[in-house]
């Protein structure tokens, strides 16, 4: 039984960050990717974890239960999560997907409240080659064009997901209602990515990664695109206490396509980590 409830905090600049909370047990905080919100990113996964953990699903500012604000910079997002972690009041495991994996790493470098971190396929821009950069640029340009064409937001989501997902993963996301549900966040997505490009991503800084003292399991789909494999290896090479764990048969969309296998990997990692604390 999920025992669903909500939890809210107010950030240092006055924004409300809201989360859906499920389950009972040691706390895990799940950080969404760039596209959706806390609920639509993680709802297929947490049903496999609520018997063992308290699962917090906060949404970033401008998404889900959270208030909006024009400042979506990486430092601001990290401060939001640090505030949320402080409100829990006990050691917490941290999970992130894609851009949320980057955020989880940046937060872990700053917080003693994080006892273990499981980033799933972080996005380390500095390891992109020219071909990957061009593909991302094309996807973002098309996403912006579709959003401007009379608000074709669902088509814009589909265009963006063509960069990290394979076609069969997009089909699963479509069937699950993810693509349609994420459409309302396209303007926020474009603003978010612009600010990341402007301010830089702390998780790409080897000094930030080197400051993480908590155990880190970098989760990776065995069938993902090569860029995400390179990103995972980069993180594992620069975090002192890190290892890579592959999810068989999965790609970047594993929280949607392989939720049970991903949940099993998280349970295997976080249960011993919790015991160590």
């Amino acid at each position: 039984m999920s025992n669903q409830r909500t939890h809210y905090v107010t950030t240092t600049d006055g924004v409300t960050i809201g989360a859906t909370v499920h389950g009972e047990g040691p706390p895990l905080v799940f950080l969404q990717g760039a596209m959706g919100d806390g609920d639509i990113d993680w709802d297929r996964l947490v049903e496999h974890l609520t018997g063992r953990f308290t699962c917090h699903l906060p949404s970033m500012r401008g998404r889900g239960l959270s208030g909006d604000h024009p400042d979506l910079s990486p430092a601001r997002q990290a401060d939001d999560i640090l505030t949320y972690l402080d409100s829990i009041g006990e050691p917490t495991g941290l999970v992130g997907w894609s851009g949320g994996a980057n955020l989880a790493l940046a937060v872990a470098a700053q917080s003693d409240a994080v006892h273990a971190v499981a980033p799933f396929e972080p996005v380390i821009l500095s390891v992109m080659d020219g071909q990957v950069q061009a593909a991302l640029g094309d996807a973002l340009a098309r996403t912006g064009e579709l959003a401007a064409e009379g608000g074709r937001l669902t088509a814009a989501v589909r265009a963006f997901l063509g960069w990290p997902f394979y076609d069969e993963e997009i089909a699963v996301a479509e069937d699950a209602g993810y693509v349609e549900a994420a459409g309302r966040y396209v303007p926020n997505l474009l603003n978010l990515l612009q600010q990341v490009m402007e301010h830089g991503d702390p998780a790409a800084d080897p000094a930030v990664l080197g400051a993480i003292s908590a155990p880190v399991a970098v989760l990776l789909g065995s069938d993902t695109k090569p860029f995400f494999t390179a990103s995972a290896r980069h993180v594992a090479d620069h975090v002192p206490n890190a290892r890579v764990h592959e999810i068989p048969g999965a790609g970047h969309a594993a929280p949607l396509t392989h939720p049970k296998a991903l949940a099993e990997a998280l349970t295997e990692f976080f249960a011993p980590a919790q015991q160590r604390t």
Side-chain angles (χ1 to χ4, degrees):
M1 187 172 180
S2 153
N3 188 23
Q4 179 175 325
R5 60 264 192 209
T6 54
H7 182 68
Y8 295 91
V9 300
T10 301
T11 66
T12 55
D13 63 346
V15 175
T16 298
I17 299 298
T20 304
V21 184
H22 305 259
E24 300 292 343
L28 296 181
V29 174
F30 291 78
L31 304 184
Q32 65 166 92
M35 190 71 260
D37 63 32
D39 291 314
I40 66 174
D41 278 20
W42 297 113
D43 64 356
R44 295 156 195 80
L45 176 75
V46 295
E47 65 182 64
H48 301 288
L49 296 170
T50 53
R52 187 152 192 172
F53 300 99
T54 299
C55 300
H56 294 254
L57 313 182
S59 292
M60 68 174 66
R61 44 182 63 199
R63 316 280 185 99
L65 299 174
S66 297
D68 204 358
H69 193 280
D71 187 355
L72 302 178
S73 64
R76 185 69 261 171
Q77 301 278 0
D79 191 71
D80 291 351
I81 300 306
L82 289 165
T83 301
Y84 191 93
L85 293 175
D86 286 345
S87 76
I88 295 175
E90 61 179 299
T92 304
L94 199 55
V95 183
W97 178 19
S98 194
N102 294 46
L103 180 57
L105 292 164
V107 168
Q110 301 177 58
S111 176
D112 293 333
V114 178
H115 70 77
V117 191
F120 179 77
E121 299 206 353
V123 183
I124 306 301
L125 300 179
S126 60
V127 304
M128 284 186 181
D129 61 24
Q131 185 176 2
V132 174
Q133 290 178 5
L136 176 58
D138 290 345
L140 287 173
R142 186 58 180 152
T143 301
E145 290 169 3
L146 289 166
E149 290 175 6
R152 297 177 58 195
L153 299 181
T154 300
V157 172
R158 199 178 296 111
F160 178 75
L161 292 181
W163 181 71
F165 289 5
Y166 290 112
D167 289 345
E168 55 268 30
E169 293 179 294
I170 296 175
V172 171
E174 291 263 25
D175 290 344
Y178 181 89
V179 173
E180 182 176 2
R184 62 189 181 274
Y185 299 133
V186 168
N188 182 286
L189 166 73
L190 294 170
N191 188 5
L192 170 71
L193 296 178
Q194 180 180 353
Q195 293 193 39
V196 170
M197 300 294 183
E198 289 174 356
H199 294 279
D201 177 15
D205 184 347
V208 172
L209 297 177
I212 299 172
S213 59
V216 175
V218 187
L219 301 178
L220 173 69
S222 67
D223 294 353
T224 196
K225 295 186 175 183
F227 162 70
F228 295 111
T229 301
S231 291
R233 301 295 176 189
H234 176 87
V235 172
D237 287 345
H238 289 88
V239 174
N241 189 12
R243 62 180 176 87
V244 175
H245 180 95
E246 287 194 352
I247 308 300
H252 195 64
L256 306 178
T257 61
H258 292 70
K260 185 176 180 180
L262 184 53
E264 289 170 353
L266 292 171
T267 300
E268 178 185 342
F269 174 61
F270 281 111
Q274 179 66 27
Q275 292 167 8
R276 286 194 294 272
T277 64

